[in-house]
Amino acid sequence: MLEDNKSYLNDLNDAQLSAVLKTDGPSMVIAGAGSGKTRVLTYKIVHLVNNGVDPFEILALTFTNKAAREMKLRISSMIGESDSKSIWMGTFHSVFAKILRFEAHKIGFTSDFTIYDTQDSERLISSIIKEMNLDKDVYRSKSIRNRISTLKNNFITVNGYFSNNELVESDNLSRKPETGNIYKEYNDRLIKSNSMDFDDLLMKTNELLNNYPEVLAKYQEKFKYILVDEYQDTNNSQYLIVKSLSDRYQNICVVGDDAQSIYSFRGANINNIINFRNDYDDVEIFRLEQNYRSTKNIVNAANSVIDHNKNKIDKEVWTENDFGDKVQISSNQSDIAEARSICQKIQTINDSNLSDIAILYRTNAQSRPIEDSLRLNKIPYRIFGGVSFYNRKEIKDILAYLRLIINSNDEESLKRVINYPARGIGLVTINKIIIAAQKNNLSLYDTIKKHKELNISFSSSVSLKLQNFIDLIEVFKIENEKLNAFDLTKELINKVNIIDELKKDESPEGISRVENVQELLNGIRDFIEDQKEIVDSNDRLSEFLSNVSLSTDFDIEHESEDYISLMTLHLSKGLEFKHVFIVGLEEDLFPSALSYNTRSELEEERRLFYVGITRAKQNLYLSYANSRYRWGKLIYCEESRFINEIDKDYVNITKQVDFKPISQEFSKKKIIFKPKGNLKKISSSALKNSSIKINFSEGDKVSHEKFGLGKIVKIEGLNNDVRAIVEFSKFGQKNLLLRFAKLNKV
């Protein structure tokens, strides 16, 4: 824990220090790329606590679980585990989901409501479109979901939609006059299923705060200090919630960079940060302009590009780092040649691991020739942003069973598994259930339970199959009261014969699906073990499912392998690499042809380019193709205007790269596309509550597979409840149960 002398403040430069010392009143920190934004946020929270602010009164909002975890770990190491856990810190969605579970009864939900992810929402919308006999080529489920998402993020309810002639007319002109009715049915189904989608987590929180003054007052009083990371990425709904919560005390600090506002397609509104000073009185603005990440040439190149934007907050990012190499720009005959050129360049980089290298592109489709070339030359790589683990079919099927056990009114989960593995319940039967459910205003699950009472015409064999399905779920509801998430899931997989079903497919894909199920169990096992280790933890199924629902691609832990990272420019935000390649810098591709309608759209594309440039620490390589295939036709390309916007003092340009045979330097490296190995067994001793012999003493130096090196500060408790408070050098204090703790003496 930190000393009272606050020596930690010595770690800050003058601009960072000023921002941290500002504790009361509204403030905005404009943090240029690589300027230490996370440090300022972390130290500001620490400084608040060290100056007497109750950690329970602090709310810190982030956009990714990864950012929240990193901040928690750092704060924990500085002020201790207990105080850090008392801070409400997490993503907008996770924090507001927590509030809604406390207050759900006020808005017609129970605390066990299901959270629908994007695929669940699309599946439900697709079902509604089909039931309404609408043309699925006109009413595409993804497009309708995006439309509904936009409406919700702008706080437009179903009634609000129908009363807005402009919105209705817009959908009429798009030949989608039934959009409003789909929105209404979709919302009704969610409510009936005791479910919320991601957008509801924000919208319902807004409704709660607007319609229940006592709830608003409760959380205004609770959160006396509010800090918001990446404020430039907030949408209208997030803005309204933050504004409401902060109105009483106005101790709000927002941190962000308008030059990195790149998510308007998700509803982000750059004006939230641009106009922040107009929302509060006496706003103090701090500018973090010193870049610690990149060389002078890279910083100056980025500045020269973003200077072309009109709508921005003035700042001048600078660095004391060396000039470094100039930005390399290469012109290539084709996208294939561009990919080969990148491989050649990678093989000349000798000072780094492959994990220090990233290839960034505007769209996922651009990865194909790059992947082909990397595979050809046996250079290991990994794509970020492809199908994530929890979105794979076999995983979604198992998760649907688990969600149905927790919340039997979850309509989409029921429809997904009622006939998986096949149990003779076909579409005709399911449609009958849907019609009966609508007629009787019941959930699908309750309709099946009461199908005999409701006199639905099923054959005796179908009726038996439906009853067996209900019995299966009811049994596991009882089991859920007794078993942890791992044991329950393992028993479920065995009971419904999912492994046997998957093994029917002997292809590599089928084998991979079996391995994925094994890996799911590994993941749940790891979750359980982590929960067991920490005092007062929760190893229940609902907690695990909540973690899954709120996870993202970057939140999933992976084995430490040396590979090149491939991703879109959007996904690269918040990351950094020694060497960065940005490919496909051509007009109509980057900037996108869709961005030419307005200045604001083109400026966002430029900000996206700025984000890409500022990911690079040492070397930046920009490239474009003079020709590429689109829709099967060879077209000729024009270099992006963004290339010409970079001051020529900071670049070297290479035209028409001359290709030489590529060496097989990387041939010894293996490209690993398989999931992790077989399921590891949990030792029986770890699962029993038997007394154990304690081999540790206070003062012992220990190591932990996750937390690293540490020192036992205190041992307390009796028998099976003996626990050790361990001060880890990197992760601060952890309160661990010794019968489960993965500790070794060093």
Side-chain angles (χ1 to χ4, degrees):
M1 191 170 293
L2 288 172
E3 302 293 331
D4 292 337
N5 63 13
K6 299 181 178 62
S7 61
Y8 60 96
L9 296 175
N10 297 332
D11 297 339
L12 305 171
N13 64 33
D14 290 345
Q16 293 170 337
L17 180 62
S18 298
V20 167
L21 293 178
K22 169 73 175 178
T23 55
D24 294 331
S27 63
M28 179 168 64
V29 181
I30 303 301
S35 63
K37 158 181 80 67
T38 303
R39 170 171 286 194
V40 167
L41 267 175
T42 302
Y43 279 44
K44 193 175 184 74
I45 292 170
V46 169
H47 193 64
L48 286 169
V49 175
N50 282 349
N51 279 272
V53 175
D54 190 336
F56 285 96
E57 296 178 344
I58 300 173
L59 170 64
L61 296 168
T62 68
F63 271 85
T64 66
N65 291 315
K66 179 174 179 284
R69 281 200 302 268
E70 289 175 352
M71 287 178 61
K72 281 180 182 177
L73 287 171
R74 182 62 177 150
I75 291 169
S76 176
S77 72
M78 297 177 75
I79 65 174
E81 180 86 6
S82 179
D83 280 345
S84 70
K85 280 192 171 183
S86 301
I87 299 167
W88 276 50
M89 183 184 300
T91 65
F92 282 87
H93 290 92
S94 65
V95 168
F96 298 153
K98 189 174 179 180
I99 290 175
L100 287 170
R101 292 203 187 276
F102 283 127
E103 313 293 343
H105 62 282
K106 288 187 170 62
I107 54 174
F109 291 82
T110 71
S111 60
D112 284 332
F113 62 82
T114 297
I115 301 172
Y116 275 27
D117 64 15
T118 300
Q119 287 192 358
D120 296 323
S121 296
E122 284 184 18
R123 194 174 295 109
L124 176 56
I125 290 168
S126 181
S127 298
I128 293 169
I129 291 168
K130 184 178 180 181
E131 292 162 21
M132 293 175 66
N133 294 315
L134 300 174
D135 187 342
K136 65 180 182 181
D137 292 328
V138 176
Y139 294 90
R140 296 182 180 273
S141 58
K142 186 174 183 178
S143 173
I144 297 296
R145 189 203 68 81
N146 288 338
R147 177 65 163 163
I148 292 173
S149 178
T150 300
L151 293 170
K152 288 187 175 185
N153 283 325
N154 285 285
F155 206 30
I156 299 170
T157 63
V158 171
N159 290 337
Y161 172 88
F162 282 114
S163 62
N164 190 316
N165 292 330
E166 188 177 333
L167 290 173
V168 173
E169 186 59 27
S170 173
D171 287 328
N172 287 339
L173 291 172
S174 301
R175 296 191 304 118
K176 298 173 184 174
E178 294 295 322
T179 298
N181 291 325
I182 297 172
Y183 184 16
K184 182 179 184 306
E185 182 64 18
Y186 173 72
N187 252 20
D188 290 346
R189 295 278 191 93
L190 285 176
I191 294 169
K192 190 185 295 183
S193 300
N194 190 37
S195 302
M196 298 187 197
D197 61 22
F198 270 17
D199 301 310
D200 281 330
L201 298 178
L202 303 180
M203 191 176 186
K204 298 296 183 186
T205 302
N206 258 314
E207 288 180 6
L208 190 66
L209 299 178
N210 283 336
N211 298 337
Y212 296 88
E214 72 280 10
V215 175
L216 174 61
K218 171 184 173 181
Y219 288 101
Q220 283 180 334
E221 188 62 30
K222 177 173 178 54
F223 302 131
K224 292 186 174 68
Y225 292 85
I226 299 174
L227 301 95
V228 186
D229 192 16
E230 305 286 8
Y231 192 66
Q232 77 280 350
D233 294 333
T234 53
N235 60 30
N236 189 46
S237 205
Q238 291 161 333
Y239 164 81
L240 290 171
I241 295 170
V242 171
K243 185 72 166 63
S244 295
L245 291 173
S246 61
D247 262 354
R248 176 172 294 186
Y249 290 100
Q250 297 204 359
N251 296 323
I252 179 170
C253 175
V254 301
V255 181
D257 182 7
D258 60 295
Q260 298 185 66
S261 178
I262 59 174
Y263 293 120
S264 66
F265 65 94
R266 294 182 185 170
N269 187 348
I270 191 175
N271 290 318
N272 291 345
I273 192 168
I274 296 288
N275 299 327
F276 179 80
R277 69 188 76 187
N278 301 327
D279 290 330
Y280 301 89
D281 297 328
D282 302 320
V283 174
E284 196 164 351
I285 298 175
F286 303 92
R287 289 175 172 81
L288 308 184
E289 296 174 314
Q290 183 175 359
N291 179 297
Y292 292 94
R293 176 185 299 154
S294 308
T295 64
K296 278 189 174 70
N297 275 314
I298 292 171
V299 169
N300 292 339
N303 287 340
S304 66
V305 169
I306 205 64
D307 279 347
H308 287 79
N309 274 5
K310 306 289 185 190
N311 189 29
K312 61 182 181 185
I313 299 173
D314 289 335
K315 63 179 178 298
E316 187 65 31
V317 179
W318 57 276
T319 184
E320 291 182 345
N321 295 339
D322 295 336
F323 276 95
D325 295 335
K326 289 188 176 183
V327 176
Q328 303 296 308
I329 300 175
S330 66
S331 163
N332 303 273
Q333 295 175 343
S334 66
D335 54 346
I336 305 296
E338 180 184 42
R340 291 181 60 191
S341 168
I342 291 168
C343 286
Q344 282 192 321
K345 182 60 66 177
I346 288 170
Q347 292 182 317
T348 67
I349 299 173
N350 298 316
D351 66 332
S352 303
N353 297 319
L354 294 179
S355 56
D356 293 323
I357 303 171
I359 302 173
L360 313 180
Y361 34 76
R362 181 64 180 83
T363 67
N364 276 308
Q366 293 172 254
S367 74
R368 196 266 311 160
I370 299 169
E371 287 188 75
D372 287 347
S373 190
L374 290 169
R375 282 196 297 265
L376 180 65
N377 293 283
K378 296 182 171 55
I379 301 176
Y381 71 92
R382 178 166 176 240
I383 289 195
F384 289 83
V387 178
S388 64
F389 180 80
Y390 289 106
N391 283 329
R392 294 169 189 169
K393 180 186 179 303
E394 59 276 9
I395 303 303
K396 294 282 283 186
D397 290 336
I398 296 170
L399 293 179
Y401 268 111
L402 298 177
R403 288 163 61 169
L404 194 60
I405 291 165
I406 294 294
N407 175 17
S408 58
N409 290 327
D410 185 341
E411 181 176 319
E412 288 307 295
S413 292
L414 185 145
K415 288 192 291 188
R416 186 178 188 102
V417 300
I418 191 171
N419 198 42
Y420 178 79
R423 50 175 61 93
I425 303 174
L427 285 175
V428 173
T429 299
I430 295 169
N431 287 335
K432 281 185 180 180
I433 295 167
I434 292 171
I435 293 168
Q438 292 171 344
K439 181 181 177 181
N440 295 281
N441 198 30
L442 294 171
S443 70
L444 297 187
Y445 190 86
D446 286 338
T447 302
I448 298 171
K449 280 182 79 173
K450 299 177 180 179
H451 74 272
K452 292 180 180 177
E453 301 172 30
L454 298 171
N455 295 318
I456 307 173
S457 59
F458 294 132
S459 68
S460 58
S461 68
V462 169
S463 179
L464 179 61
K465 291 167 183 172
L466 291 172
Q467 188 59 54
N468 288 341
F469 175 74
I470 292 294
D471 290 344
L472 172 74
I473 302 302
E474 291 295 319
V475 166
F476 277 98
K477 282 186 178 183
I478 296 170
E479 292 292 277
N480 183 46
E481 299 299 319
K482 302 182 292 184
L483 301 177
N484 62 38
F486 175 86
D487 291 329
L488 182 77
T489 307
K490 187 176 180 182
E491 187 173 321
L492 174 74
I493 289 169
N494 291 331
K495 184 70 175 178
V496 299
N497 297 316
I498 286 177
I499 297 295
D500 290 341
E501 180 70 15
L502 294 173
K503 283 184 176 178
K504 291 177 182 177
D505 180 2
E506 297 179 353
S507 69
E509 291 78 13
I511 295 169
S512 178
R513 292 186 186 103
V514 173
E515 292 173 339
N516 287 339
V517 173
Q518 292 176 327
E519 184 54 27
L520 174 65
L521 288 171
N522 283 345
I524 301 176
R525 191 270 330 268
D526 289 341
F527 168 80
I528 295 297
E529 290 296 285
D530 286 345
Q531 296 294 91
K532 284 177 179 177
E533 204 174 352
I534 299 173
V535 177
D536 298 325
S537 61
N538 182 355
D539 65 0
R540 309 310 298 172
L541 178 61
S542 58
E543 186 70 18
F544 171 74
L545 290 176
S546 223
N547 284 350
V548 170
S549 293
L550 297 168
S551 69
T552 65
D553 288 349
F554 279 99
D555 295 325
I556 301 169
E557 298 295 330
H558 298 278
E559 290 181 293
S560 179
E561 298 171 3
D562 198 23
Y563 50 72
I564 292 176
S565 298
L566 274 64
M567 68 189 76
T568 64
L569 284 139
H570 282 98
L571 280 178
S572 74
K573 188 171 175 293
L575 305 177
E576 61 181 36
F577 302 89
K578 281 187 181 180
H579 314 281
V580 171
F581 295 81
I582 303 177
V583 305
L585 278 160
E586 302 140 30
E587 288 291 302
D588 297 342
L589 189 56
F590 194 26
S592 166
L594 300 175
S595 68
Y596 297 156
N597 295 323
T598 64
R599 177 179 293 278
S600 63
E601 290 173 342
L602 184 60
E603 289 197 350
E604 176 153 331
E605 287 288 291
R606 188 175 286 112
R607 292 195 296 270
L608 184 58
F609 185 43
Y610 175 86
V611 166
I613 292 174
T614 54
R615 300 311 94 198
K617 297 165 68 175
Q618 293 183 7
N619 295 100
L620 176 64
Y621 306 92
L622 310 178
S623 61
Y624 62 93
N626 293 313
S627 66
R628 70 174 61 237
Y629 280 97
R630 290 188 185 173
W631 300 103
K633 294 182 179 179
L634 186 66
I635 65 163
Y636 293 95
C637 311
E638 178 185 357
E639 68 183 37
S640 170
R641 69 189 73 191
F642 297 154
I643 287 178
N644 296 315
E645 290 175 358
I646 304 175
D647 192 310
K648 297 301 181 284
D649 289 342
Y650 312 125
V651 302
N652 280 329
I653 301 175
T654 304
K655 298 287 186 180
Q656 302 292 339
V657 174
D658 181 27
F659 297 111
K660 297 177 182 178
I662 298 177
S663 72
Q664 297 300 310
E665 181 181 344
F666 291 88
S667 62
K668 63 181 181 290
K669 295 181 179 281
K670 295 181 179 179
I671 309 175
I672 302 175
F673 296 102
K674 294 181 179 179
K676 297 177 188 175
N678 294 330
L679 177 66
K680 300 174 185 175
K681 293 182 179 179
I682 301 176
S683 65
S684 58
S685 61
L687 299 174
K688 294 179 182 176
N689 288 327
S690 58
S691 297
I692 59 169
K693 185 178 180 181
I694 304 302
N695 296 316
F696 299 100
S697 305
E698 294 180 3
D700 282 351
K701 293 182 180 180
V702 294
S703 66
H704 187 279
E705 64 180 31
K706 184 176 181 180
F707 304 129
L709 295 175
K711 183 179 180 181
I712 296 179
V713 177
K714 188 177 181 181
I715 294 178
E716 54 189 17
L718 298 171
N719 299 324
N720 293 327
D721 292 325
V722 176
R723 51 194 180 272
I725 299 174
V726 184
E727 182 76 35
F728 291 101
S729 56
K730 292 185 178 180
F731 295 92
Q733 283 191 358
K734 300 289 181 183
N735 196 353
L736 306 179
L737 286 167
L738 282 180
R739 62 190 168 115
F740 297 120
K742 308 177 183 74
L743 291 176
N744 292 299
K745 287 185 182 180
V746 294

